[in-house]
Amino acid sequence: MNAMPNTIPMPDATGHIPVMLAEVLDALKPVDGDAILDCTFGGGGYTTAILNSADCTVWGIDRDPDAIARGHALARTFVDATGQSRLHMLHGGFGSMQELTQQANAPAFNGIVLDLGVSSFQLDEAERGFSFKQDGPLDMRMAKSGRTAADLVNTAPEAELADIFHFYGEERHARRVARAIVADRVETPFTTTAQLAGLIRRVVPSDRSGIDSATRSFQGLRIAVNDELGEIERGLEQALDLLAPGGRLVVVSFHSLEDRIAKRVMGAATGKTQSFSRYDPRAALTKGDDSAFTALTGRPIRPGDAECAANPRARSARLRAVVKRNSDVASLGKGQTP
């Protein structure tokens, strides 16, 4: 499968720009009659393109109630000859996709796509509290329920905060940031994104690359608030089970933590293993003859220069894809049929 570097995704009806849209469609290859699962509906960019490309049906998952509302509005524009919509929305996290799709009596899927990036809508809406570029409440909850980022910042022990910034944000100055937060919150609890970003910029040296000093810490905090890595782990394992024979799984990740999980889970599915030492002759990747899946991408596909210039959020994107072998029917999800 080849990338299409000169293709620039255009904004959908809501102004959202889906990342690597042409490459996603090339990997999914939807045809008439297919059942496709869009696990991260967001602004509906992938779903809209899929429904326009073939007379297929899409099930869209999102835990953000705002995204579900957008999906219901979009569903009214894709109606088949019987008057039924070709888009069905499922409210919940994609880490529960097996339960959600079974409750909806969905079939086994011919294609499943996950865009693991934060929705542009969430980033652009200051009141959601995801962005350090706009002042808003320190929230960051994708589902609009549960513990907020402010709850975590104001109550977590220093060691826990340092681990969040270090492991989830890959922030080299994680201990320094955590120490400053714990010291400052005694007098004034953190309530806004600007307040937290200001502290981080005060204690973290400027990055030569021009990346805002608050970027990594905000990423780590967002991942912790939403259990994003746990969701990815659970979601990918379930997605493999929900595919029909010949079905394709396409994953677009945006940072190394996400991509490592996708690489490991998809590598295991295709029978690839690696020894502990790169100097061990057994370290070469090997592929089991009895694996249930075949890789569609050797190395991850990256967006082209034109797309990165038009949409800077695409710069870190990586696409990986696998296909379920037609001979394998043993791992269909419970209650699913080809």
Side-chain angles (χ1 to χ4, degrees), residues 111-327:
I112 298 178
V113 59
L114 292 94
D115 174 346
L116 302 178
V118 183
S119 168
S120 296
F121 291 95
Q122 294 169 344
L123 286 174
D124 294 340
E125 294 174 3
E127 61 271 21
R128 299 300 300 272
F130 285 92
S131 177
F132 48 80
K133 296 180 179 180
Q134 305 178 76
D135 192 17
L138 192 55
D139 194 319
M140 298 192 185
R141 296 172 301 171
M142 292 180 177
K144 290 190 173 183
S145 63
R147 182 176 62 170
T148 67
D151 293 334
L152 187 56
V153 166
N154 289 317
T155 63
E158 180 180 325
E160 181 181 349
L161 289 173
D163 284 347
I164 287 171
F165 299 138
H166 174 68
F167 291 110
Y168 295 160
E170 300 180 296
E171 172 55 67
R172 291 176 299 166
H173 304 283
R175 293 188 183 281
R176 185 185 300 179
V177 174
R179 189 181 309 118
I181 287 174
V182 171
D184 278 26
R185 74 188 186 189
V186 173
E187 294 292 333
T188 307
F190 289 86
T191 59
T192 70
T193 55
Q195 183 185 3
L196 179 60
L199 176 140
I200 297 170
R201 292 170 184 142
R202 191 177 77 227
V203 300
V204 174
S206 299
D207 194 300
R208 292 181 179 179
S209 67
I211 295 175
D212 193 293
S213 299
T215 301
R216 288 179 287 271
S217 294
F218 265 63
Q219 172 185 296
L221 193 56
R222 189 201 75 227
I223 289 174
V225 167
N226 296 287
D227 185 28
E228 290 181 34
L229 300 187
E231 277 283 289
I232 294 170
E233 190 90 36
R234 293 186 294 271
L236 290 180
E237 293 289 354
Q238 292 174 43
L240 295 171
D241 285 339
L242 291 173
L243 283 172
R248 294 163 174 246
L249 171 61
V250 182
V251 180
V252 179
S253 60
F254 288 84
H255 58 73
S256 59
L257 297 175
E258 297 170 343
D259 188 55
R260 285 174 204 155
I261 297 174
K263 180 180 180 181
R264 175 171 51 78
V265 173
M266 297 169 103
T270 58
K272 292 180 179 179
T273 58
Q274 191 169 22
S275 67
F276 292 104
S277 172
R278 62 177 177 170
Y279 300 107
D280 188 325
R282 294 171 297 175
L285 292 177
T286 59
K287 186 175 186 303
D289 292 334
D290 58 349
S291 57
F293 292 83
T294 300
L296 292 172
T297 53
R299 295 181 178 180
I301 293 175
R302 304 295 298 272
D305 293 340
E307 179 174 359
C308 291
N311 181 15
R313 288 176 180 170
R315 288 178 297 189
S316 60
R318 294 174 173 82
L319 183 152
R320 296 181 185 272
V322 297
V323 60
K324 191 168 190 175
R325 291 187 173 186
N326 282 304
S327 60

Side-chain angles (χ1 to χ4, degrees), residues 8-12 14-20 45 115 120 307 310-311:
I8 305 175
M10 298 302 293
D12 61 19
T14 65
H16 171 71
I17 303 176
V19 173
M20 297 183 73
D115 174 346
S120 296
E307 179 174 359
N311 181 15

Side-chain angles (χ1 to χ4, degrees), residues 54-127:
D55 186 15
C56 58
T57 304
V58 174
W59 279 257
I61 293 177
D62 210 295
R63 54 177 161 178
D64 187 337
D66 291 349
I68 295 297
R70 287 191 292 270
H72 286 317
L74 182 63
R76 292 192 287 270
T77 68
F78 287 98
V79 178
D80 63 21
T82 68
Q84 299 297 311
S85 177
R86 295 194 287 125
L87 171 59
H88 308 283
M89 295 303 300
L90 307 176
H91 188 193
F94 62 74
S96 302
M97 67 174 75
Q98 198 156 38
E99 178 182 358
L100 292 171
T101 56
Q102 287 175 3
Q103 289 175 348
N105 294 316
F109 293 100
N110 307 104
I112 298 178
V113 59
L114 292 94
D115 174 346
L116 302 178
V118 183
S119 168
S120 296
F121 291 95
Q122 294 169 344
L123 286 174
D124 294 340
E125 294 174 3
E127 61 271 21

